[in-house]
Amino acid sequence: MRIWRIETLWVTLTFLVLLLGVWWIPGSASVKSDSYSSAFPGKRVFYQAMQRLGTDVHRSTDELIPRPGFEDRILILGPARYPSEQEWDELFYEVLDGATLVFAASTTDPFVEIPQFGLTITTQEILEEKAKLEELKKQGIEVEVEEDEVELNESFLDASSFSDLEDAVAETELVDHPVTWKSNAIFDLDSIGNWEVLLSSNDHPQVVRQEVGMGTVLFCTSDEIFSNGAMVDSERALLAFRIVEATPVWGETFIDETLNSSGVPKVVGILFTPAFRPITLQLILIGVLFGWIGARRFGPVYESMYSRRRSIVEHANALGVLYFRAHAGAHSLESMYEFLKLELRSLYGNGFRVDDAAAVARQVRMEPAEVAELLKAVKMAIRRGDAKAISNAEAGRLLKQLSFLISRLRSDS
């Protein structure tokens, strides 16, 4: 049963890897706010709705300007990163040539300066802080502001959800009914003097439009109106489409995804981009199959090439344990006593009297009485051995004394 459970686990894991290959082609969301994402801040519902309305809408995944010179409409809605100076220059010249640009600042990081179009999207807190600094400078008070602190103040709205946004009634002629507008950002009033205001809230412009050269640009302070959460409300969804329709289009409409794909730092995540995803999934599948093969045993188990190290006197230890359990101390004493006789005769000849305690004592340089008492006790224990009258402790004491006697005999010889 355990083997079948393990096999089922590996089969399931392999099936999941294969399913990912089908599920992730041609691509999926890299950030939560792009047109692939089904999350609350995503733009997937807006993108699909524009397609169903018959608008020629596509995703731009390779180039910020997919078709230069074709007077297309480019939608940049809450990108993961804002365009660089060079990219703003390219957009500016494309608009001059007749293209249309719809730009909505990111709700989580609304501050952006666009000198090419003479526009700045900021927050009330940043404007108040800059006003205080200007007032201090007029009073002759020098204030040192570190760059890190300025960046921190400009990105203080890095919220994880749209729940922190301020709700206000939109003042606009794009729709006939009251609509809720959610944004914490505003335009810098000094930079929109010549702009047409299409929507305001709390007396602050939120959507502005202007013709630049042969093209048109439209800027929003928040991309929340285009999110999946806003599309649930039909009135707010209508406002999102009316904002886009407020700009002319002569070519096709493209929702930019290049800024989303390049805006999030990726180390491992780059392996799951559309370009590398098939190779990555193949490597994962190979790894799973290799692990499956390694988890199974084919053929007999290999025997260990190394055996346990054994003691050189292991047989002697085993024999001693056998004597101890069988209470055969007398038999061990008899063997030791016969060995003592053989040693004496091999050293001093066959005529040496083993029973002569005084002669043995002289050879080992011990007291004759001590040797005589030891030999007498050994002989008595051997005679009583059949009745098991001698204990293991007594047999051990005598064996130790006989061993000492033999060691003295060998050292003196």
Side-chain angles (χ1 to χ4, degrees):
M1 182 63 68
R2 181 175 178 272
I3 296 177
W4 279 108
R5 279 198 293 254
I6 294 175
E7 291 292 312
T8 304
L9 177 62
W10 284 109
V11 171
T12 304
L13 188 59
T14 304
F15 177 76
L16 287 177
V17 175
L18 295 174
L19 183 62
L20 287 177
V22 179
W23 182 26
W24 273 350
I25 294 176
S28 64
S30 58
V31 292
K32 292 183 179 180
S33 60
D34 62 10
S35 62
Y36 293 104
S37 175
S38 300
F40 189 90
K43 312 298 188 301
R44 183 173 182 176
V45 176
F46 176 74
Y47 169 73
Q48 293 178 344
M50 289 192 67
Q51 284 187 322
R52 293 178 182 178
L53 291 175
T55 307
D56 197 2
V57 182
H58 309 280
R59 291 188 179 100
S60 177
T61 58
D62 299 325
E63 299 291 340
L64 181 62
I65 304 175
R67 301 196 312 168
F70 277 82
E71 299 182 354
D72 295 325
R73 180 167 55 190
I74 302 173
L75 306 182
I76 303 177
L77 308 178
R81 72 168 181 87
Y82 290 127
S84 62
E85 290 294 326
Q86 180 180 356
E87 290 170 335
W88 276 123
D89 290 338
E90 295 175 357
L91 290 171
F92 176 74
Y93 289 115
E94 187 67 19
V95 172
L96 286 178
D97 292 339
T100 300
L101 173 64
V102 177
F103 179 86
S106 174
T107 302
T108 57
D109 186 14
F111 184 86
V112 56
E113 292 181 330
I114 314 169
Q116 289 79 358
F117 295 99
L119 195 69
T120 300
I121 301 176
T122 182
T123 63
Q124 187 65 36
E125 286 77 3
I126 295 177
L127 289 179
E128 292 176 356
E129 183 178 354
K130 290 183 178 179
K132 291 179 181 178
L133 293 177
E134 292 295 333
E135 185 66 25
L136 292 174
K137 289 181 180 180
K138 290 180 181 180
Q139 297 176 6
I141 302 175
E142 296 184 0
V143 180
E144 294 183 0
V145 181
E146 297 181 0
E147 294 183 359
D148 293 341
E149 294 180 356
V150 174
E151 292 179 0
L152 178 62
N153 292 332
E154 293 172 355
S155 60
F156 77 103
L157 287 174
D158 289 345
S160 58
S161 65
F162 289 165
S163 60
D164 299 330
L165 300 178
E166 296 181 1
D167 294 356
V169 178
E171 303 169 4
T172 180
E173 297 180 357
L174 296 176
V175 292
D176 299 330
H177 44 76
V179 179
T180 302
W181 180 266
K182 297 183 179 181
S183 175
N184 286 331
I186 59 176
F187 288 105
D188 190 344
L189 294 178
D190 296 335
S191 64
I192 62 169
N194 299 324
W195 291 75
E196 179 185 0
V197 178
L198 300 181
L199 186 147
S200 300
S201 67
N202 293 333
D203 297 329
H204 292 291
Q206 298 292 320
V207 180
V208 295
R209 178 181 61 184
Q210 188 181 64
E211 293 183 359
V212 179
M214 299 176 60
T216 304
V217 292
L218 184 146
F219 286 92
C220 299
T221 60
S222 172
D223 66 324
E224 189 275 338
I225 193 65
F226 305 101
S227 65
N228 296 329
M231 294 295 107
V232 177
D233 188 343
S234 60
E235 297 179 352
R236 302 187 69 218
L238 177 60
L239 176 60
F241 290 108
R242 290 289 173 83
I243 291 175
V244 176
E245 291 174 354
T247 57
V249 58
W250 310 108
E252 300 179 0
T253 299
F254 291 91
I255 295 182
D256 179 70
E257 290 296 339
T258 60
L259 298 176
N260 289 322
S261 60
S262 61
V264 180
K266 297 179 181 180
V267 178
V268 179
I270 196 173
L271 298 176
F272 293 97
T273 56
F276 293 97
R277 188 176 300 134
I279 299 177
T280 302
L281 291 177
Q282 290 177 19
L283 293 176
I284 294 176
L285 180 60
I286 291 174
V288 171
L289 295 177
F290 184 79
W292 189 2
I293 294 175
R296 303 183 65 180
R297 179 175 63 85
F298 295 91
V301 179
Y302 287 108
E303 296 184 359
S304 176
M305 299 178 61
Y306 302 97
S307 59
R308 186 175 61 88
R309 179 177 292 182
R310 309 183 71 174
S311 175
I312 196 172
V313 294
E314 186 176 353
H315 63 288
N317 294 333
L319 184 60
V321 172
L322 179 62
Y323 281 154
F324 179 82
R325 293 179 178 177
H327 296 278
H331 180 74
S332 179
L333 282 173
E334 183 178 3
S335 299
M336 182 70 79
Y337 184 64
E338 292 296 330
F339 180 73
L340 174 62
K341 291 180 180 180
L342 291 175
E343 284 291 308
L344 290 172
R345 288 170 182 169
S346 63
L347 293 174
Y348 306 109
N350 293 331
F352 187 85
R353 295 182 58 186
V354 181
D355 297 335
D356 189 353
V360 176
R362 284 195 301 269
Q363 300 299 330
V364 297
R365 288 185 286 183
M366 295 175 59
E367 293 294 331
E370 183 180 359
V371 176
E373 182 180 358
L374 173 60
L375 295 178
K376 181 180 178 181
V378 171
K379 292 177 181 180
M380 291 180 62
I382 292 173
R383 294 194 191 102
R384 293 180 298 169
D386 295 340
K388 297 182 182 180
I390 185 173
S391 63
N392 287 333
E394 180 66 16
R397 184 181 66 82
L398 295 176
L399 285 171
K400 184 177 180 180
Q401 292 179 357
L402 277 178
S403 178
F404 177 75
L405 185 66
I406 294 173
S407 64
R408 291 290 301 270
L409 183 64
R410 290 180 173 178
S411 61
D412 292 339
S413 61

